[in-house]
Short mmCIF file of all heavy atoms in Angstrom, two decimals:
data_model
loop_
_atom_site.label_atom_id
_atom_site.label_comp_id
_atom_site.label_asym_id
_atom_site.label_seq_id
_atom_site.Cartn_x
_atom_site.Cartn_y
_atom_site.Cartn_z
N PHE A 1 0.84 -1.19 0.00
CA PHE A 1 0.00 0.00 0.00
C PHE A 1 0.88 1.24 0.00
O PHE A 1 2.05 1.20 0.43
CB PHE A 1 -0.96 0.02 1.19
CG PHE A 1 -0.31 -0.11 2.54
CD1 PHE A 1 -0.03 1.02 3.30
CD2 PHE A 1 0.01 -1.36 3.07
CE1 PHE A 1 0.56 0.91 4.56
CE2 PHE A 1 0.60 -1.47 4.33
CZ PHE A 1 0.88 -0.33 5.07
N ALA A 2 0.34 2.34 -0.52
CA ALA A 2 1.06 3.60 -0.55
C ALA A 2 1.01 4.27 0.82
O ALA A 2 0.03 4.08 1.57
CB ALA A 2 0.47 4.52 -1.62
N VAL A 3 2.01 5.05 1.15
CA VAL A 3 2.01 5.82 2.39
C VAL A 3 2.50 7.23 2.12
O VAL A 3 3.26 7.48 1.18
CB VAL A 3 2.90 5.17 3.49
CG1 VAL A 3 2.41 3.79 3.83
CG2 VAL A 3 4.36 5.12 3.06
N VAL A 4 2.04 8.17 2.93
CA VAL A 4 2.51 9.55 2.88
C VAL A 4 3.06 9.93 4.24
O VAL A 4 2.65 9.39 5.27
CB VAL A 4 1.38 10.52 2.47
CG1 VAL A 4 0.83 10.18 1.10
CG2 VAL A 4 0.25 10.53 3.49
N ASN A 5 4.01 10.85 4.24
CA ASN A 5 4.65 11.22 5.51
C ASN A 5 3.92 12.35 6.23
O ASN A 5 4.44 12.91 7.20
CB ASN A 5 6.12 11.58 5.31
CG ASN A 5 6.31 12.77 4.38
OD1 ASN A 5 5.35 13.33 3.86
ND2 ASN A 5 7.56 13.17 4.16
N ASP A 6 2.72 12.69 5.77
CA ASP A 6 1.91 13.71 6.43
C ASP A 6 1.01 13.05 7.49
O ASP A 6 0.58 11.91 7.33
CB ASP A 6 1.00 14.43 5.43
CG ASP A 6 1.80 15.04 4.29
OD1 ASP A 6 2.57 15.96 4.55
OD2 ASP A 6 1.63 14.57 3.15
N VAL A 7 0.71 13.80 8.54
CA VAL A 7 -0.31 13.38 9.50
C VAL A 7 -1.67 13.70 8.89
O VAL A 7 -1.96 14.85 8.55
CB VAL A 7 -0.14 14.09 10.85
CG1 VAL A 7 -1.32 13.80 11.77
CG2 VAL A 7 1.17 13.67 11.51
N THR A 8 -2.51 12.69 8.73
CA THR A 8 -3.78 12.87 8.02
C THR A 8 -5.00 12.52 8.87
O THR A 8 -6.13 12.57 8.38
CB THR A 8 -3.81 12.02 6.74
OG1 THR A 8 -3.66 10.64 7.08
CG2 THR A 8 -2.71 12.43 5.77
N TYR A 9 -4.79 12.17 10.14
CA TYR A 9 -5.94 11.80 10.97
C TYR A 9 -5.64 12.12 12.43
O TYR A 9 -4.54 11.82 12.93
CB TYR A 9 -6.25 10.31 10.83
CG TYR A 9 -7.62 9.91 11.36
CD1 TYR A 9 -8.75 9.97 10.56
CD2 TYR A 9 -7.78 9.47 12.67
CE1 TYR A 9 -9.99 9.60 11.02
CE2 TYR A 9 -9.02 9.11 13.16
CZ TYR A 9 -10.13 9.17 12.33
OH TYR A 9 -11.38 8.82 12.80
N ALA A 10 -6.60 12.72 13.11
CA ALA A 10 -6.47 13.03 14.53
C ALA A 10 -7.46 12.19 15.32
O ALA A 10 -8.68 12.30 15.11
CB ALA A 10 -6.72 14.52 14.78
N TYR A 11 -6.94 11.37 16.21
CA TYR A 11 -7.75 10.46 17.03
C TYR A 11 -7.93 11.09 18.40
O TYR A 11 -6.98 11.26 19.16
CB TYR A 11 -7.05 9.10 17.13
CG TYR A 11 -7.82 8.06 17.90
CD1 TYR A 11 -8.68 7.19 17.26
CD2 TYR A 11 -7.65 7.94 19.29
CE1 TYR A 11 -9.38 6.22 17.96
CE2 TYR A 11 -8.35 6.98 20.00
CZ TYR A 11 -9.20 6.13 19.34
OH TYR A 11 -9.91 5.17 20.05
N ARG A 12 -9.18 11.42 18.71
CA ARG A 12 -9.49 12.08 19.98
C ARG A 12 -9.57 11.04 21.11
O ARG A 12 -10.21 9.99 20.96
CB ARG A 12 -10.82 12.82 19.88
CG ARG A 12 -11.14 13.72 21.06
CD ARG A 12 -12.57 14.24 20.98
NE ARG A 12 -12.83 14.97 19.76
CZ ARG A 12 -12.76 16.30 19.65
NH1 ARG A 12 -12.41 17.02 20.70
NH2 ARG A 12 -13.04 16.89 18.50
N HIS A 13 -8.91 11.31 22.24
CA HIS A 13 -9.03 10.42 23.39
C HIS A 13 -9.13 11.24 24.68
O HIS A 13 -9.10 12.46 24.65
CB HIS A 13 -7.84 9.43 23.45
CG HIS A 13 -6.53 10.04 23.82
ND1 HIS A 13 -5.82 9.68 24.95
CD2 HIS A 13 -5.79 11.00 23.22
CE1 HIS A 13 -4.70 10.38 25.02
NE2 HIS A 13 -4.64 11.18 23.99
N ASN A 14 -9.30 10.53 25.79
CA ASN A 14 -9.54 11.16 27.09
C ASN A 14 -10.84 11.96 27.11
O ASN A 14 -10.92 13.02 27.74
CB ASN A 14 -8.37 12.07 27.50
CG ASN A 14 -7.23 11.29 28.12
OD1 ASN A 14 -7.38 10.12 28.44
ND2 ASN A 14 -6.08 11.94 28.27
N HIS A 15 -11.86 11.43 26.43
CA HIS A 15 -13.14 12.13 26.44
C HIS A 15 -14.31 11.19 26.68
O HIS A 15 -15.44 11.65 26.81
CB HIS A 15 -13.36 12.84 25.10
CG HIS A 15 -13.48 11.92 23.93
ND1 HIS A 15 -12.43 11.16 23.48
CD2 HIS A 15 -14.53 11.61 23.11
CE1 HIS A 15 -12.81 10.44 22.44
NE2 HIS A 15 -14.08 10.69 22.20
N LYS A 16 -14.05 9.89 26.79
CA LYS A 16 -15.12 8.93 26.99
C LYS A 16 -15.18 8.50 28.45
O LYS A 16 -14.18 8.56 29.17
CB LYS A 16 -14.92 7.70 26.09
CG LYS A 16 -14.98 8.03 24.61
CD LYS A 16 -14.76 6.80 23.77
CE LYS A 16 -14.81 7.13 22.28
NZ LYS A 16 -14.56 5.95 21.42
N SER A 17 -16.35 8.03 28.86
CA SER A 17 -16.52 7.56 30.24
C SER A 17 -15.77 6.26 30.44
O SER A 17 -15.54 5.52 29.49
CB SER A 17 -18.00 7.36 30.55
OG SER A 17 -18.57 6.40 29.67
N PRO A 18 -15.37 5.95 31.68
CA PRO A 18 -14.65 4.72 31.94
C PRO A 18 -15.48 3.49 31.56
O PRO A 18 -16.70 3.53 31.49
CB PRO A 18 -14.42 4.75 33.46
CG PRO A 18 -14.56 6.19 33.83
CD PRO A 18 -15.56 6.77 32.89
N VAL A 19 -14.75 2.40 31.30
CA VAL A 19 -15.43 1.14 30.97
C VAL A 19 -16.33 0.71 32.12
O VAL A 19 -15.98 0.83 33.29
CB VAL A 19 -14.38 0.04 30.69
CG1 VAL A 19 -15.07 -1.30 30.43
CG2 VAL A 19 -13.51 0.43 29.52
N SER A 20 -17.52 0.26 31.78
CA SER A 20 -18.46 -0.18 32.81
C SER A 20 -17.94 -1.43 33.52
O SER A 20 -17.01 -2.07 33.07
CB SER A 20 -19.82 -0.47 32.18
OG SER A 20 -19.68 -1.43 31.16
N SER A 21 -18.58 -1.79 34.63
CA SER A 21 -18.09 -2.90 35.43
C SER A 21 -18.16 -4.20 34.66
O SER A 21 -18.97 -4.37 33.75
CB SER A 21 -18.91 -3.03 36.71
OG SER A 21 -20.18 -3.56 36.41
N ILE A 22 -17.30 -5.13 35.04
CA ILE A 22 -17.19 -6.37 34.30
C ILE A 22 -18.44 -7.22 34.40
O ILE A 22 -18.68 -8.09 33.56
CB ILE A 22 -15.96 -7.17 34.81
CG1 ILE A 22 -15.63 -8.31 33.83
CG2 ILE A 22 -16.19 -7.72 36.19
CD1 ILE A 22 -14.31 -8.95 34.11
N GLY A 23 -19.28 -6.96 35.36
CA GLY A 23 -20.41 -7.84 35.56
C GLY A 23 -21.62 -7.58 34.68
O GLY A 23 -22.52 -8.40 34.65
N ASP A 24 -21.68 -6.48 33.95
CA ASP A 24 -22.90 -6.21 33.20
C ASP A 24 -22.90 -6.93 31.85
O ASP A 24 -21.88 -7.40 31.37
CB ASP A 24 -23.14 -4.71 33.05
CG ASP A 24 -22.10 -4.01 32.20
OD1 ASP A 24 -21.62 -4.61 31.23
OD2 ASP A 24 -21.78 -2.85 32.51
N SER A 25 -24.09 -7.00 31.24
CA SER A 25 -24.25 -7.80 30.03
C SER A 25 -23.49 -7.21 28.86
O SER A 25 -22.98 -7.94 28.01
CB SER A 25 -25.74 -7.91 29.68
OG SER A 25 -26.30 -6.62 29.46
#
């Protein structure tokens, strides 16, 4: 596959709620 040396995507993080408890469905 071809690649470019530019940054082309910004992935937003630190904005979602924590993972729910392991016991739920």
Side-chain angles (χ1 to χ4, degrees):
F1 56 97
V3 299
V4 299
N5 61 358
D6 304 294
V7 172
T8 60
Y9 195 88
Y11 182 92
R12 190 189 302 265
H13 71 118
N14 277 349
H15 64 293
K16 297 179 180 178
S17 59
V19 176
S20 57
S21 74
I22 193 169
D24 66 36
S25 60

